[in-house]
Amino acid sequence: MTSVPGRITWPPPELAVPPVQLPPTAPVTGADGVRRYDQLSYATNSGYRPRLLDLSVPLTAEPAALVVWIHGGAWMEGDRRHPPPTVSADLLFGSLLRAGLAVATIDYRHAREAAFPAQLHDVKAAIRYLRHYAGPLGIDGKRIGVWGESAGGHLAALAGLTGPTGGAQPSHEDTDLEGTEGVREGDSAVAAVVDWYGITDVGALVPDRPGPGDPIVTLLGGNPADRTRLAAAASPVSYGGSPAPPFLLVHGTHDTLVPFEHSERLAQLLRAAGNQAEVLAVPGAEHIFLNADVTPLVARSVAFLAHHLSP
């Protein structure tokens, strides 16, 4: 806190200690019985925009299982409210709600705001927040899954594979992958993962001469050749031999941005360690499932989550 004679003191005393927990606001209930909480602030840090999430909870007799949606955008753009252009919000989020699953869509710090592992810290903070407030929100904190696409698929895989209950962490002085954002108590474990065409080995996608605008250079805060341990910490394949929740990896076979082999390799490692991992290959599909019918892919993903998050 700084104080100059005759000038305002900043931060004001009531803001000097930022809140660790930001309780949910009241929901708006629609004609369909769905309770919607918009713009819940799950973490705040001075100098950063508040991390927000939206939550929709269907009308169910028991607390609903929850799916956390993580958007893509090369870790540098994207928005919790908007799926990729190949799938509508009603198809994606509506399918979850119609299956009796609550859905939370989250924002996270982009790579130009903060380098890795800030993005994973935010994902885990959102999960801890939702678990902490599960009772008043009407969700089951023991039944939480994650679903992400592209960069969000990468973060969903890491959320399922790292942390106190999700596998070991590579030794690196900069890679506390759990973080202390938002609600600090509780854990960030998840019970199921759906990964749509996410990167599983960040070092494998770096060009020979990466420029400063390369997404992975931006994510890691520098050339991966100089940050090999951080690159390993950011790669889901580093944890493929650890205990993991069930995985469904959905990937186009003609993806020229993130090759299909990324999902295939992670699934092989998971299965070799005794974990359940399914790969759904989408023949001829490019990134974001261009050249494919997305409707059955959504249905398969929702069915997978409903099954593994059932009571």
Side-chain angles (χ1 to χ4, degrees):
M1 183 181 294
T2 59
S3 179
V4 179
R7 295 189 181 181
I8 191 170
T9 295
W10 186 261
E14 64 271 20
L15 298 181
V17 179
V20 174
Q21 299 169 190
L22 304 169
T25 54
V28 173
T29 303
D32 55 2
V34 174
R35 300 190 310 280
R36 292 179 170 86
Y37 300 81
D38 291 333
Q39 300 186 63
L40 297 182
S41 230
Y42 70 83
T44 58
N45 296 90
S46 178
Y48 292 98
R49 59 192 170 102
R51 261 60 47 79
L52 303 179
L53 66 83
D54 299 333
L55 173 67
S56 297
V57 183
L59 183 62
T60 55
E62 301 292 335
L66 172 69
V67 175
V68 177
W69 168 259
I70 310 170
H71 71 78
W75 308 285
M76 293 193 292
E77 53 189 48
D79 186 297
R80 71 187 186 280
R81 297 164 294 183
H82 304 300
T86 46
V87 55
S88 70
D90 178 68
L91 176 60
L92 186 67
F93 307 138
S95 294
L96 288 165
L97 291 168
R98 289 186 285 272
L101 300 169
V103 56
T105 62
I106 69 171
D107 281 333
Y108 53 86
R109 281 171 289 179
H110 293 158
R112 287 196 175 102
E113 296 176 275
F116 185 85
Q119 299 71 32
L120 183 58
H121 287 173
D122 290 349
V123 170
K124 289 174 173 285
I127 294 168
R128 290 195 302 269
Y129 176 93
L130 290 160
R131 179 166 279 130
H132 182 83
Y133 290 110
L137 291 171
I139 57 178
D140 187 342
K142 296 179 181 177
R143 297 188 291 140
I144 299 178
V146 287
W147 182 0
E149 61 95 18
S150 196
H154 162 260
L155 294 172
L158 285 175
L161 291 168
T162 64
T165 58
Q169 299 180 11
S171 174
H172 190 282
E173 62 272 18
D174 298 324
T175 49
D176 164 24
L177 299 183
E178 193 66 22
T180 57
E181 306 296 319
V183 175
R184 299 181 183 183
E185 63 268 22
D187 68 67
S188 60
V190 298
V193 177
V194 174
D195 174 357
W196 276 12
Y197 45 85
I199 291 172
T200 64
D201 184 348
V202 298
L205 284 184
V206 180
D208 292 336
R209 293 179 140 187
D214 179 85
I216 292 175
V217 170
T218 308
L219 177 71
L220 299 179
N223 193 322
D226 302 323
R227 290 165 168 76
T228 55
R229 296 172 73 183
L230 184 60
S235 297
V237 292
S238 297
Y239 316 94
S242 302
F247 264 68
L248 174 64
L249 300 111
V250 190
H251 212 132
T253 60
H254 284 48
D255 192 328
T256 56
L257 190 60
V258 180
F260 172 75
E261 289 73 25
H262 275 250
S263 288
E264 200 171 41
R265 182 182 170 202
L266 178 58
Q268 289 170 349
L269 291 170
L270 289 168
R271 289 194 291 257
N275 300 303
Q276 180 179 338
E278 304 175 36
V279 177
L280 177 57
V282 187
E286 246 288 8
H287 205 65
I288 70 169
F289 297 139
L290 290 171
N291 311 319
D293 181 1
V294 181
T295 301
L297 307 180
V298 171
R300 175 75 178 275
S301 301
V302 171
F304 176 89
L305 290 163
H307 173 71
H308 290 288
L309 298 178
S310 61

